[in-house]
Amino acid sequence: MTQRPKTLVGKGREAMLNIIDADSFIDGKIGDATLDTNLGPGALIGTATMSGETVTVITNDAKARNPRFPVVYAGIIGLEEAYKMAQAVYLTMEADKNLPKKRPLVLVIDSPGNAPGKVEEFFGMNLATGSYQLALAEARTAGHPIIAMIVGRAISGAFLCHGLQADRILALPQTLGTMIHVMPLSSIARITKRDVELLETLSQTNPVFASGAGFFYKLGGLEEIIEDPADMPKAIVRHIQEIYKLKSEGKWNELGPCSRGTLGTARGGRVARKKVLDLMQTQYAKLEEAFLA
């Protein structure tokens, strides 16, 4: 009997503990600061080591439920979770502000989305997730290597704030249950006024509509697909060292969001991207010339 591959969907805490050095995780502690563990219980955050080097780990825990927000469960990133994650990033930057070598941030991702309720919308869910995105962007440009490791679901707004600002994005394969997409086909159908059946057909061949790690890799959204979960630690450490090197050489265009379009073009997943960008630049130059005339 063939053994079924072991999925890590819904097991963010387990995945995180398997990635870091054994017994190195200190829950809620970053530098001299201590996070409120009752705030945003779905966000599992702390300090650990990988190959003996200090890292900040930010994980969304699908086993936790936020008692103050009924819609925050099963790995959903809610209002409190997003702000707590942002706080962790800024505390990391503060802890290393006088150090020449900035510690890495390792994001362990398994979230089905944000799914805000009326209370979260009223108090500014978008501001919370935007704050987390901004924090990661500031940490990345300040020299902190940021690795996003997708072990389960990376979907919708949760992936936008918890992953897409990383220097490098890695993922386990679709055979282990990973799901990656910014928007479900049902939502795309409502926006584009196209039948779901048509979009499902397109999703079999077109990486724009597909949700698997392989398609996202073709688009340049993933730096690497890690076939065996046991290989995650060494792969993450390898990418961290590469990021340090590229940042020291000033090759920022090979990291973060700016690098993904180029990577997608090289892999054949974004064949029209350069043409569109060139056309936009040409049109912009004409408008600028007319405006300054």
Side-chain angles (χ1 to χ4, degrees), residues 7 52 64 109 119 127 130 137 166 202 221 239-241:
T7 180
I109 301 169
V119 174
L127 180 61
L202 289 171
H239 280 281
I240 287 173
Q241 296 307 316

Side-chain angles (χ1 to χ4, degrees), residues 47-110:
T47 298
T49 62
M50 293 191 69
S51 294
E53 297 292 329
T54 299
V55 301
T56 293
V57 288
I58 302 178
T59 310
N60 54 288
D61 185 1
K63 299 289 179 66
R65 189 184 187 102
N66 193 322
R68 291 173 291 281
F69 299 94
V71 297
V72 180
Y73 63 96
I76 286 172
I77 297 177
L79 183 82
E80 287 187 353
E81 283 71 21
Y83 275 130
K84 184 177 180 180
M85 290 169 165
Q87 183 183 14
V89 176
Y90 285 121
L91 288 175
T92 299
M93 294 174 66
E94 178 65 22
D96 288 4
K97 66 180 181 180
N98 296 321
L99 299 179
K101 185 177 181 180
K102 312 298 183 183
R103 78 184 69 183
L105 291 103
V106 178
L107 319 179
V108 181
I109 301 169
D110 173 33

